[in-house]
Amino acid sequence: QVQLVESGGGLVQPGGSLRLSCTASRNIFSISSMGWYRQAPGKQRELVADITIHYNTNYADSVKGRFTISRDNAKNSVVLQMNSLKPEDTAVYYCNAKGPWGASWGQGTQVTVSS
């Protein structure tokens, strides 16, 4: 098991940028996959991006070219850099880690894109 804590959400205007960080309670060397999901009001939770232990990345079509996920094993963290934000990116963003135990989730951080 691992505990995850997100930070970096907030209010931003369309076209702006935000950087979300997720810090794990222990080293992430053995965690096979870490990623970010989001859930907007009235919608199902969806994958935004994830990164494997081999640094392979996967992005939702809606964020390709705008968002970048990175993994820093030395800091036990995963970062989601979000650029060119749109109102439809508004959601609660959750950090996720997958390992032999199953999956762990953070508490979520709100991202609101509005003028």
Side-chain angles (χ1 to χ4, degrees), residues 1-5 22-28 31 34 75-76:
Q1 276 280 8
V2 62
Q3 282 71 51
L4 304 170
V5 178
C22 171
T23 301
S25 59
R26 62 167 180 81
N27 75 71
I28 63 173
I31 297 179
M34 295 192 71
K75 296 182 178 179
N76 300 332

Side-chain angles (χ1 to χ4, degrees), residues 93-115:
Y93 284 69
Y94 297 90
C95 183
N96 170 269
K98 295 184 177 68
W101 68 90
S104 296
W105 294 91
Q107 81 285 354
T109 185
Q110 177 70 45
V111 170
T112 302
V113 184
S114 175
S115 55

Side-chain angles (χ1 to χ4, degrees), residues 4 14 18 21 38 47 50 64 66 88:
L4 304 170
L18 281 175
S21 294
R38 67 186 181 188
L47 173 69
D50 60 18
K64 283 181 181 176
R66 301 188 297 123
E88 51 263 42

